[in-house]
Amino acid sequence: MKLLVVEDDVRMAELLRRGLAREGWAVDVAGDAVDARHAVLSNPYDAVVCDVGLPGGESGLAWCRWLRQEGHWVPVLMLTARTDLQDRIDGLDCGADDYLGKPFAFGELAARLRALLRRGETERPPVLRNGDLVLDPAEHGVTWQHSAVELSPREFALLDYFMRRPGDVLRRSEILDHVWDFAYDGTSNVVDVYVGYLRTRLADAGAPALIETVRGVGYRLTALA
Ligand code: CA
């Protein structure tokens, strides 16, 4: 069993690493969201312990949301110093599987991790369908009439968001919020650029024009039967 600990506090990270190693788990430590991204993209982990408070402007919650958007379903246990209800809700909302407030007893952390490890990655979200367009969040795959549509991770996240709201007009600001998670300024045309990429990929796969521009507002994925 291999675990990833995402924690910037060096003493806390070392405490976790040693404690978890004593339980017989192999442990890698990442000090921020960027390191954690590299780590999960290059290693298969059985579980992740992630602190909410991370340096560099990307919280543990945002990192976890990114992880799920990228189609990684490794169990995540979030750690935070804050214990009020809203934080717990935010923690689970971002796609974490469990939540533990600091300070915690190490025995409780280990017990909860064992429970998550037993459960594994079984809780996958269902496949999204819009007519002949099918997106599988767990497999990170998209097909049009059973042939693969090749997408970059960001294009995939964008299509995933459209596929959850077919027929709805999505404002640019909403799309930025859900797909990027970063504080882009209001003048950024990154959404338009990526919608353009996505249209090209879909057209290359033989799909009809499905993403409609709603002038002055945003975009809409045509709802197919
Ligand atoms: Ca921290």
Side-chain angles (χ1 to χ4, degrees):
M1 290 288 179
K2 194 171 168 73
L3 306 187
L4 175 66
V5 168
V6 188
E7 166 65 278
D8 58 306
D9 181 321
V10 175
R11 283 183 53 204
M12 182 56 135
E14 181 54 20
L15 210 70
L16 287 169
R17 196 191 60 71
R18 260 191 275 153
L20 295 170
R22 261 200 307 274
E23 299 287 322
W25 293 317
V27 181
D28 286 346
V29 173
D32 60 28
V34 175
D35 277 0
R37 244 188 258 286
H38 289 306
V40 292
L41 291 176
S42 44
N43 300 284
Y45 292 105
D46 297 292
V48 178
V49 178
C50 182
D51 190 35
V52 168
L54 296 177
E58 189 177 355
S59 72
L61 300 178
W63 180 79
C64 187
R65 219 172 283 126
W66 166 85
L67 187 72
R68 298 316 188 208
Q69 278 172 357
E70 297 294 303
H72 297 284
W73 302 100
V74 57
V76 174
L77 188 148
M78 297 292 311
L79 295 178
T80 177
R82 301 165 298 176
T83 51
D84 67 74
L85 182 63
Q86 189 54 48
D87 284 334
R88 280 203 291 273
I89 293 169
D90 288 346
L92 297 173
D93 246 17
C94 74
D97 300 276
D98 200 1
Y99 185 98
L100 193 56
K102 287 178 182 173
F104 53 85
F106 191 84
E108 181 171 10
L109 174 68
R112 291 205 193 189
L113 277 172
R114 276 192 291 272
L116 287 181
L117 289 166
R118 273 197 300 275
R119 208 166 82 191
E121 296 191 20
T122 50
E123 294 188 16
R124 293 181 164 189
V127 163
L128 305 175
R129 286 176 201 281
N130 185 35
D132 287 332
L133 187 61
V134 177
L135 182 147
D136 184 336
E139 295 298 324
H140 213 270
V142 175
T143 56
W144 169 257
Q145 293 182 342
H146 305 293
S147 46
V149 182
E150 299 298 335
L151 299 178
S152 73
R154 191 61 64 184
E155 293 158 2
F156 182 88
L158 180 60
L159 182 62
D160 181 288
Y161 186 52
F162 275 120
M163 295 278 287
R164 289 170 197 276
R165 308 266 305 272
D168 288 359
V169 178
L170 304 179
R171 282 176 286 114
R172 280 182 183 74
S173 55
E174 264 178 286
I175 296 172
L176 259 185
D177 226 39
H178 281 84
V179 179
W180 272 267
D181 253 350
F182 306 121
Y184 269 100
D185 65 55
T187 59
S188 168
N189 68 342
V190 67
V191 172
D192 309 276
V193 170
Y194 272 84
V195 165
Y197 293 158
L198 190 53
R199 281 172 167 158
T200 304
R201 306 280 193 199
L202 290 169
D204 287 350
L210 294 173
I211 302 173
E212 181 193 343
T213 304
V214 181
R215 281 193 65 160
V217 186
Y219 297 96
R220 170 165 51 205
L221 177 68
T222 305
L224 301 173

